[in-house]
Amino acid sequence: MGLMHTVVCYVNPLGSMRLFSGPRASPTTSVLAHVYGMQNLYTGSIRIFAAYNIDTPPLYYLATLTYVGTIFLNATETFIWKTARFEETKFAFLPSSIGLVWLFTQKDCYLS
């Protein structure tokens, strides 16, 4: 999903940043969309590489960290900085939370 959003960040930079439309959001720029797109590219790439090498502990923990980072980004932008509204970020929380719970609960199956 993040890799698809990377493409959207480059094809439609201003539209891709609708997530950050909270009460204290600054004006959206193409540069901000491109940076966000690159962040999604790195995160998605790490997750794909970790999925193919799921039994490698450093990659497993790095993939786990990408989910923590995504939750942290959305939580701080929504609840602390108020640059995003929960209506937009709730759909970002769901897959990240599911992925993080899965990685924690299934750790023993993958890293034996």
Side-chain angles (χ1 to χ4, degrees), residues 5-17:
H5 193 253
T6 297
V7 174
V8 173
C9 285
Y10 279 89
V11 173
N12 183 12
L14 300 181
S16 67
M17 298 304 289

Side-chain angles (χ1 to χ4, degrees), residues 89-112:
T89 58
K90 66 183 174 186
F91 296 111
F93 281 118
L94 186 62
S96 297
S97 300
I98 291 171
L100 189 60
V101 168
W102 180 267
L103 286 169
F104 276 124
T105 59
Q106 301 302 312
K107 179 181 163 191
D108 292 336
C109 295
Y110 295 121
L111 301 178
S112 46

Side-chain angles (χ1 to χ4, degrees), residues 9-42:
C9 285
Y10 279 89
V11 173
N12 183 12
L14 300 181
S16 67
M17 298 304 289
R18 282 181 295 174
L19 172 71
F20 300 104
S21 61
R24 292 174 32 194
S26 59
T28 306
T29 65
S30 295
V31 173
L32 180 60
H34 295 162
V35 169
Y36 194 59
M38 273 294 115
Q39 180 259 332
N40 285 329
L41 178 67
Y42 292 143

Side-chain angles (χ1 to χ4, degrees), residues 41-82:
L41 178 67
Y42 292 143
T43 301
S45 298
I46 289 168
R47 290 175 184 171
I48 288 171
F49 194 65
Y52 281 105
N53 300 285
I54 197 72
D55 57 346
T56 307
L59 288 175
Y60 191 87
Y61 295 126
L62 189 60
T64 303
L65 192 59
T66 66
Y67 287 106
V68 171
T70 301
I71 292 170
F72 178 77
L73 169 74
N74 288 302
T76 56
E77 294 299 330
T78 303
F79 302 115
I80 296 174
W81 305 115
K82 301 197 185 319

